[in-house]
Amino acid sequence: MLGNTRSFPGLRNHPFNSVLTEAGKIILGKEHEIRLATTCLLAGGHLLIEDLPGMGKTTLAHTLAKLLGLQFNRIQFTSDLLPADITGVSIFDRTNSAFHFLPGPIFTQVLLADEINRATPKTQSALLEAMEERQVTSEGQTRELPRPFFVIATQNPAHQIGTFPLPESQLDRFLMRIELGYPDRQAERALLTGGDQRPRVEQLAAVFDPAQLADLQSEIAALHASAALIDYIQALVEASRRMPAFRHGLSPRAALALLSAARAWAWLAGRDMVLPDDVQAVLPAIARHRLRASQGNTLADREDIASLIRTVAIP
Amino acid sequence: MSTPAKQALDHGCPPWLIASALLTIAPHFEHQPLWLSAFSAALLVWATWLWHQDQRLPGRWPMIALVGLACSGIFVEYRTLFGRDAGVGMLVIFMAMKLLELRSRRDANIITILGYFLLLTHYLYSQSIPTGLWLIAALWIVTAAQIRVNGGPLCRIRETLRYAAMICLQGIPFMLVLFVLFPRISGPLWGLPEDAHAGRTGLSDSMTPGSIASLAQSAEIAFRVRFADPLPATAKLYWRGPVLDNFDGRAWRSSAGAIPRETLTFDSAPIRYETTLEANNQRWLLALDAPSTLPPDSSLDGRLTAQGRLPITQRQRVQLASSLDYRLNVEESPKILHQNLALPARFNPQARSLAASWRAETQTPQAIIDKALELFASERFAYTLEPPLLGENSIDEFLFQTRRGFCEHYAAAFVVLMRAAGIPARVVGGYLGGEQNPLDGYWVIRQSDAHAWAEVWLEGRGWRRIDPTAVVAPARVDSGISDALPAGEPLPALVQMRGTWLRNLRHRWEALNNAWNQQILGYDPQRQRELLAKLGLPDSDWRSMATMLGGLGTLLMASMLAWTLYQHPKHDPATRLWHTALRHLARRQVHCAPGETPLALLRRIEKTDPKLAQQLNRVVECYLLTRYGDAGDALNPLRDAVAQLTRWR
């Protein structure tokens, strides 16, 4: 009844469970990160993955898209990328003597925006506006993006050369920010002996379809969150505003994000109610990119988030 | 030395501690030497600057040098490191210096505890109402600082202050119980032997021209009186101090040597009253002429001056009774009469010849007295607080040249004239009149009411009071000093105020101070017995008081505990049951970590004690369902599960 937070088989009888298990076969030793990425998707938010090249960011995005039966596009961000390269351009069609809109790569269901901080702020903001509005306005015409629309952006650590760090207001549009990190010794060994898993991604069969996903998202959004749990989220947000370790606290939007992500996490754990455990599980991914350490211009420290959790009593 | 992160002091703490230090040491600046105050103030400013600039605190060696400097400074100043002044000085400096050592929570706790101790030291210097108010405010801030230091950066300023105020208020019932019931010792709670040597203004046992006039410029309160019997409307209140019967040409003193006991006859009913004397380092009790009943341990000295056994070094209450009509020593010993006729030979020839001429003209002593008073009544004499300085033959100069003087000039001149004319006479020092506070009915007698008058001995009448000032300035005797003096005299502003709102305010303030002195500071073993008797506890000794103290203390604690428990029914039944389970776990040395969820706790216990986890599983399940689920009420299953857990061994 309470589900299980330790491993995947929380949703034994639900078809969604195979999404997690299949993805776990491709990206080895990253169950928690896969679960967080899936949570983000189920909560209807966009995901930012920050890590060094070669850690499997692209593979993760591609795998999820495949398993969910979603259309997948990828944009490699560079410093000379223009907004139109993302949203699309209108081309004059001689046969019809009219302009014809060529949709850009953004018109897809899962968009992998690789190395988003290599592009100029103008291009970045074109993508981020589309993420927020879920539509593209070009030459006076507004075009809806497909549903569901899910952006997985990857980012190199900010101190690398030739990067334009995303401003705080843009970071806030990502529901979650995760790091993949190095695989553990066992997973890396399995990777080395079992060969590259990436070609397998193309052959993956969808285990879910977009219509099911939309139903699931609305089911999760209605998951029961008791007054005591809302109290807990409020207490966390208030404490973050008072802690001297942070320059400023969490916004109301962050509180909403925390609640919806906690719902998705609880659903993935096979529960029909949200527990403080779910809030604690998603809090680092929700809060770290929204908070600034009071000293220096860096993200909030992992340890400070942990002390935020320790400070607030469970209601 | 590095400080563990858990003990480290956050950046928000030092302002609280600096404020506490400032509040607790600032009142000492009033009586400390200037260098000491400046030194500690400089340390405070330094500490504030270091905090503001986020600078490193000074290292060990500079601090040791500072300690050495401070100690040697104190030693040079006081010639000792012990005793009240030196000890308090050291505490003040160390308090300021500790602010330069604020590294860990331990340092901060030292500051707050030293702050509480420093609060007490102020009572060694002053026990007035403003001191009390200041110290309450300081207590509040020190408590708030302690809350802030130990509560961490999450404490908001307003919450911290409110919480500290609440703690202080909660202390009030205990304070009252301790105040009323704590066994008292005779003598002041805060007095130290040193107090006796402190300089006090007041009437002295000698009188020179101008000495009372300068005393009259002080508005300080000399004593307060409350009459138990109604006072005759026409009563003249002469409060008798020392009798000055020895004149050396310049100063008047009390003559030494044995004096036979006086014989007193009273012609009117005694009036009972209670006098509260301020410390004056003298023995006289300033009784109303003439005292008929004296407190124990006191006596009349043969010249009608009531004297205690020891000098009055702190505020003291005495019960007295006096009859305003009396006859003193109708039969006087020839030796005393001779003493009261003596005049130094070389001085004041003019006055003596004037008196000799009066004696030749008239026959009765009364006629001579009238002549002298007529002389003073002539318009050439003026009553003033600023008499001109007088030379060697002071009486002559006053009588024939300056003719401006205060009461001591008139009393002295009158006595010299009488003695020269062969009538035994002497000067009496004391106070005249006073002012009744309409609010509490107490009479307040100030230094500005200091007065000197004369006494002459008449055959068949004994010693009789003659007040020459009454002739020169009748208003002085009838209505008080401020009416008797012309405008522009340097009388204290407090005494001058007439019929203004300020005067009303002063009455209120003095009534408040008096109540404070009488009820709070004057709460001695006797008052304690009286109060306890009123409460129905006659003959209480320290044992019964200690028992009552313990009983009432327990009662207060119990009622506060009950109140606290009553205040927290906010926890719903599920949470209370969960807390029961947690308490049970705590008995098994399993504690819930801060921020640990019930589920996480269960998982942790699963690893260490699977059997216990099995028992706990059901409790956690039911608790989470009730608290976070929407499946309805699982309270009864939870109750059963908790009961099962607590029974399980």
Side-chain angles (χ1 to χ4, degrees), chain A residues 1-6 224 226 228-229 239 242-244 271 273-277 280 309-312 314-315, chain B residues 10 54 153-156 159 594-600 602-603 606 617 620-621 623-625 627-630:
Chain A
M1 179 215 67
L2 292 175
N4 196 321
T5 52
R6 276 180 304 179
H224 177 71
S226 70
L229 187 97
R242 278 189 272 155
M243 266 175 74
R271 280 193 284 270
M273 60 186 173
V274 189
L275 292 184
D277 303 80
Q280 289 184 358
I309 289 177
R310 277 196 304 272
T311 317
V312 179
I314 314 277
Chain B
D10 63 271
D54 220 355
L154 287 188
C155 305
R156 273 184 284 204
E159 276 175 7
E596 193 173 31
T597 62
L599 211 51
L602 180 65
R603 301 275 179 262
E606 263 171 11
N617 192 46
V620 171
E621 195 172 308
Y623 172 61
L624 292 180
L625 262 183
R627 194 113 182 89
Y628 299 103
D630 64 344

Side-chain angles (χ1 to χ4, degrees), chain A residues 87-138:
Chain A
T87 54
V89 283
S90 294
I91 297 169
F92 189 72
D93 187 350
R94 281 193 196 174
T95 51
N96 297 344
S97 296
F99 278 99
H100 173 65
F101 182 72
L102 269 184
I106 198 168
F107 288 88
T108 184
Q109 286 171 313
V110 174
L111 176 71
L112 176 66
D114 231 346
E115 298 192 90
I116 189 171
N117 56 343
R118 291 227 180 268
T120 54
K122 191 174 177 180
T123 311
Q124 288 174 358
S125 71
L127 171 70
L128 294 160
E129 273 169 45
M131 278 164 57
E132 187 68 17
E133 315 284 329
R134 290 174 197 267
Q135 61 188 21
V136 170
T137 304
S138 131

Side-chain angles (χ1 to χ4, degrees), chain A residues 186-255:
Chain A
Q186 203 187 348
E188 196 152 32
R189 179 114 194 149
L191 179 72
L192 290 173
T193 52
D196 195 355
Q197 300 290 321
R198 269 180 298 177
R200 272 195 59 209
V201 176
E202 290 299 334
Q203 277 100 57
L204 277 176
V207 293
F208 223 63
D209 66 62
Q212 277 179 301
L213 183 63
D215 289 347
L216 194 52
Q217 279 179 338
S218 48
E219 184 192 329
I220 286 172
L223 202 69
H224 177 71
S226 70
L229 187 97
I230 305 290
D231 284 346
Y232 184 51
I233 288 180
Q234 276 195 303
L236 278 172
V237 171
E238 278 166 16
S240 79
R241 293 168 190 166
R242 278 189 272 155
M243 266 175 74
F246 307 128
R247 184 170 299 169
H248 47 72
L250 289 170
S251 63
R253 176 152 57 179

Side-chain angles (χ1 to χ4, degrees), chain B residues 416-641:
Chain B
V416 166
L417 287 171
M418 288 304 108
R419 288 187 178 187
I423 302 171
R426 59 194 185 187
V427 175
V428 183
Y431 296 84
L432 170 60
E435 186 186 16
Q436 192 177 20
N437 190 328
L439 293 167
D440 58 1
Y442 272 83
W443 283 79
V444 176
I445 292 93
R446 300 165 187 286
Q447 300 299 354
S448 59
D449 293 315
H451 192 52
W453 61 92
E455 263 184 344
V456 293
W457 188 82
L458 300 175
E459 193 76 51
R461 297 282 307 275
W463 288 100
R464 240 194 95 199
R465 181 198 312 135
I466 308 278
D467 191 351
T469 308
V471 182
V472 185
R476 169 71 187 93
V477 180
D478 294 334
S479 56
I481 182 136
S482 59
D483 284 346
L485 286 168
E489 292 278 341
L491 203 60
L494 265 177
V495 182
Q496 274 180 10
M497 294 181 296
R498 283 270 166 205
T500 60
W501 62 271
L502 261 174
R503 183 186 171 83
N504 197 355
L505 202 67
R506 171 168 68 93
H507 276 144
R508 274 174 200 284
W509 174 240
E510 282 176 5
L512 186 67
N513 260 314
N514 187 35
W516 172 264
N517 291 342
Q518 302 286 343
Q519 308 299 332
I520 310 290
L521 300 180
Y523 186 75
D524 53 12
Q526 193 198 335
R527 290 249 157 143
Q528 190 173 36
R529 269 195 302 280
E530 286 167 14
L531 183 71
L532 291 180
K534 253 187 230 168
L535 295 174
L537 291 159
D539 305 325
S540 37
D541 60 351
W542 66 269
R543 276 186 212 84
S544 59
M545 274 195 266
T547 316
M548 255 171 54
L549 207 58
L552 266 177
T554 315
L555 200 70
L556 269 173
M557 294 282 263
S559 52
M560 278 196 180
L561 188 69
W563 176 250
T564 320
L565 291 178
Y566 175 75
Q567 283 290 292
H568 284 281
K570 287 171 206 154
H571 285 318
D572 62 347
T575 310
R576 259 183 306 188
L577 283 167
W578 173 242
H579 285 173
T580 311
L582 283 184
R583 277 197 296 277
H584 182 74
L585 291 181
R587 274 201 288 279
R588 295 175 168 272
Q589 303 305 317
V590 179
H591 298 277
C592 191
E596 193 173 31
T597 62
L599 211 51
L601 177 69
L602 180 65
R603 301 275 179 262
R604 185 157 61 87
I605 296 174
E606 263 171 11
K607 282 182 202 138
T608 55
D609 190 349
K611 280 183 183 164
L612 179 62
Q614 236 172 1
Q615 291 293 320
L616 191 63
N617 192 46
R618 177 84 185 136
V619 176
V620 171
E621 195 172 308
C622 293
Y623 172 61
L624 292 180
L625 262 183
T626 346
R627 194 113 182 89
Y628 299 103
D630 64 344
D633 201 3
L635 204 56
N636 283 328
L638 174 60
R639 198 168 286 134
D640 294 343

